[in-house]
Amino acid sequence: MLPRFFCGAAALALCAGAAVADDMLHILHVNDFHSRIEPINRFDSTCAPEDNAAGECFGGAARLAAAIEAKRAEIGDAPLLVLDAGDQYQGSLFYTTYKGRVAAEMMERIGFDAMAVGNHEFDDGPEGLSVLLDNVSFPVVSGNLDLSRSNLLKGRVGGPVVLEAGGQRIGIVSALATDTAETASPGPGVIFQDEIESLRAQVEALEAEGVDRIVALTHVGLPKDREIAGAVPGIDVILGGHSHTLMSNTTEGALAYPQLENGVPIAQAYAYGKYLGHLVVTFDAAGQVVSAEGDTLLLDASVPEDAAIAARVAEFAQPLEEIKARVVAETAAAIDGDRSSCRAGECEMGNLVADAMLARVRDQGIQIAIQNGGGLRASIDAGPVTMGEVLTVLPFQNTLATFQLGGADVLTALENGVSQIEEGAGRFPQVAGLRYAFDPAAPPGARVSDVQVMVDGAWQPLDPEATYGVVSNNYMRGGGDGYSVFASEAMNAYDYGPGLEEVVADYLARNGPYTPFTEGRITRK
């Protein structure tokens, strides 16, 4: 692992020779933990206890705590900050059940020094964020929020703050993505200011106080972080989140850790507590960055879990078994979700899930839902439906992903979906707001025909030149199951919507007793 040196014209002398006055700062950081309080599997969903015992799991609060404690011991008395770039909320039954209480307790036990607000901290409005604020002792920051109109949050979420680390004064500036009003529920009392303009003002305020070592703790995504690095003088380091970007110098296919933009190191540590970032920054006597090096640590079974925290997590987990037994809806008949049905043609479970997805986001201008048949893992019996049954059908903790896509690319996606039907592949597309025919005897890539989209209450032929609003799941949007066109051609994509299992449970509850059906939206020639 090679150090990365950042030498501006004024720093060439320091870079050329030894700098005896240099100060080193260690930063441990995570982002987008998304309520993965228990360990996760390779699909980033909750890992079964037997798999965890077999050493096949990653992350979890207990393992993260142990990793940070081990790093503290390794670092010794050197200056250290432990930071979180936002989105502790949303992603498992721990959040659904306990909201911010468990996240706050785990963060307190681990010993974070500061956290940036993520968009999902607003999933339950200002009230939801208030739960976290009520239960943590460290500063929670988001400098581009005007909270003067919020009775709950006014004066409680920090702008720029100064942290002490081994005698160093480290300024923390922060920003939250301004589209949070669309991706979460901050309410009218939370006013978003432009990220870059706000960060400039925050940096100026710190510099006026004599603080010349400034870390931006952001939840805006890597592309915006790169823009910030080029537009906001005075920021020394950016620690980000929101885009779930894996940076690693040892994992093939990952971006290098850290990234360098306009002389500013930018670091991010994927998501879900699977990695812990460790950045070592060296400042000269004038507060300029001389070097920044480090890497992300994969929190696999080689990292032991903290026993006390693991026991506490188990206490919280016990009532969740009751939640899994909770009846959320009722069906008038069994819902067929068998793989032989859902990977070969229109199926009842596919219609249910796609309809639920579309209903949830239709008011956002979304017209089409596409769900991979392989993501449907079970059928549901007639009668009462438990949350456990819904989780059995949808065990992957996928989130809704919304985006715009050209009509020609919609057709490409459908062709991919039916391209491996002979193999029973999981990519088969279950749909809503759209209907199509396919001929399995035709060569792959030329199987789909008669594609129509519901527009203003009427079926219209798919227009290759038009742009459509699409909802899928985050796995497919990332290119999973061969849907590379979603990854490469999607516009205005947002991959971190509500959990698919929650969307389906809510839809069933609103439409109960639910009667399963097929209606010819997919025709096999």
Side-chain angles (χ1 to χ4, degrees):
M1 182 172 60
L2 297 175
R4 302 173 187 278
F5 292 92
F6 312 111
C7 301
L12 289 176
L14 285 174
C15 290
V20 296
D22 290 351
D23 289 326
M24 185 177 292
L25 173 67
H26 293 261
I27 305 174
L28 301 178
H29 63 100
V30 296
N31 55 275
D32 300 282
F33 193 74
H34 283 300
S35 191
R36 296 312 202 265
I37 304 298
E38 293 181 303
I40 58 174
N41 59 25
R42 62 191 181 95
F43 301 107
D44 297 333
S45 59
T46 302
C47 200
E50 58 270 22
D51 292 334
N52 194 37
E56 299 175 1
C57 299
F58 306 88
R63 187 169 281 117
L64 176 63
I68 289 176
E69 191 57 35
K71 282 289 184 181
R72 290 185 195 276
E74 174 188 317
I75 293 166
D77 294 331
L80 168 66
L81 293 177
V82 182
L83 304 175
D84 186 315
D87 270 5
Q88 275 283 329
Y89 282 12
Q90 196 64 267
S92 78
L93 280 176
F94 280 84
Y95 179 73
T96 305
T97 307
Y98 300 110
K99 299 304 180 182
R101 284 202 304 118
V102 174
E105 179 174 330
M106 294 301 138
M107 295 186 80
E108 282 288 290
R109 284 175 174 262
I110 289 170
F112 280 87
D113 293 302
M115 173 188 171
V117 175
N119 57 308
H120 284 287
E121 269 71 73
F122 282 113
D123 277 0
D124 286 291
E127 296 82 3
L129 175 55
S130 183
V131 173
L132 182 74
L133 301 175
D134 287 341
N135 290 283
V136 298
S137 57
F138 52 81
V140 177
V141 296
S142 196
N144 68 322
L145 301 185
D146 176 358
L147 302 174
S148 60
R149 304 179 192 176
S150 174
N151 293 331
L152 273 177
L153 301 181
K154 182 179 179 180
R156 303 182 67 200
V157 176
V161 298
V162 178
L163 302 178
E164 297 285 340
Q168 299 183 44
R169 298 175 72 216
I170 309 298
I172 305 292
V173 297
S174 54
L176 172 59
T178 56
D179 66 354
T180 296
E182 301 169 12
T183 62
S185 303
V190 178
I191 309 301
F192 289 81
Q193 300 170 330
D194 180 77
E195 298 100 330
I196 288 175
E197 291 179 6
S198 172
L199 286 167
R200 285 174 178 159
Q202 293 175 61
V203 170
E204 290 172 3
L206 287 174
E207 290 179 336
E209 296 179 11
V211 179
D212 58 7
R213 302 174 185 196
I214 298 176
V215 174
L217 191 60
T218 68
H219 196 85
V220 297
L222 180 58
K224 193 70 175 182
D225 281 334
R226 293 190 189 280
E227 186 180 345
I228 289 167
V232 184
I235 290 178
D236 296 302
V237 176
I238 299 175
L239 299 175
H242 194 48
S243 54
H244 296 207
T245 304
L246 174 58
M247 298 180 187
S248 170
N249 298 323
T250 56
T251 301
E252 187 173 353
L255 295 178
Y257 180 104
Q259 292 286 287
L260 175 63
E261 190 74 29
N262 193 40
V264 179
I266 304 172
Q268 199 173 140
Y270 184 53
Y272 312 122
K274 192 171 185 176
Y275 292 84
L276 172 65
H278 182 190
L279 187 67
V280 184
V281 185
T282 303
F283 296 95
D284 65 19
Q288 299 296 309
V289 174
V290 176
S291 69
E293 61 178 326
D295 208 347
T296 47
L297 170 67
L298 177 64
L299 302 186
D300 60 12
S302 66
V303 179
E305 294 181 285
D306 179 282
I309 291 183
R312 182 62 172 148
V313 170
E315 290 180 30
F316 282 119
Q318 185 57 43
L320 302 187
E321 297 304 316
E322 300 175 10
I323 290 171
K324 293 176 184 178
R326 176 170 55 88
V327 174
V328 295
E330 185 176 350
T331 64
I335 307 173
D336 176 25
D338 190 84
R339 62 184 289 138
S340 64
S341 302
C342 296
R343 299 181 182 214
E346 178 184 0
C347 72
E348 294 171 347
M349 191 66 73
N351 284 355
L352 164 63
V353 173
D355 284 348
M357 295 164 68
L358 185 56
R360 187 62 168 256
V361 294
R362 184 182 279 113
D363 62 356
Q364 300 177 24
I366 303 301
Q367 302 154 284
I368 297 168
I370 304 178
Q371 162 69 30
N372 57 325
L376 311 175
R377 312 299 291 186
S379 300
I380 291 178
D381 293 337
V385 179
T386 66
M387 192 64 202
E389 288 180 286
V390 176
L391 288 165
T392 300
V393 174
L394 301 164
F396 299 115
Q397 292 177 320
N398 291 134
T399 54
L400 292 196
T402 53
F403 50 99
Q404 276 72 52
L405 196 67
D409 294 325
V410 172
L411 179 58
T412 298
L414 295 175
E415 288 285 6
N416 169 71
V418 300
S419 65
Q420 296 182 7
I421 191 170
E422 303 91 344
E423 304 168 21
R427 63 184 60 191
F428 189 89
Q430 301 293 329
V431 297
L434 177 147
R435 61 188 184 186
Y436 68 95
F438 73 98
D439 182 359
R447 292 178 167 178
V448 175
S449 62
D450 306 317
V451 183
Q452 295 183 314
V453 180
M454 180 66 72
V455 179
D456 296 327
W459 289 109
Q460 297 183 7
L462 178 76
D463 181 353
E465 302 300 322
T467 299
Y468 295 94
V470 180
V471 61
S472 187
N473 62 62
N474 62 311
Y475 168 71
M476 296 172 66
R477 225 292 295 167
D481 265 347
Y483 285 90
S484 58
V485 67
F486 287 175
S488 63
E489 303 302 325
M491 298 169 282
N492 301 315
Y494 183 71
D495 299 335
Y496 314 117
L500 184 53
E501 72 283 356
E502 295 177 21
V503 169
V504 171
D506 290 346
Y507 184 83
L508 281 169
R510 291 195 306 269
N511 292 276
Y514 179 81
T515 301
F517 67 95
T518 57
E519 60 179 4
R521 59 179 72 172
I522 302 173
T523 302
R524 184 182 183 123
K525 291 187 174 179

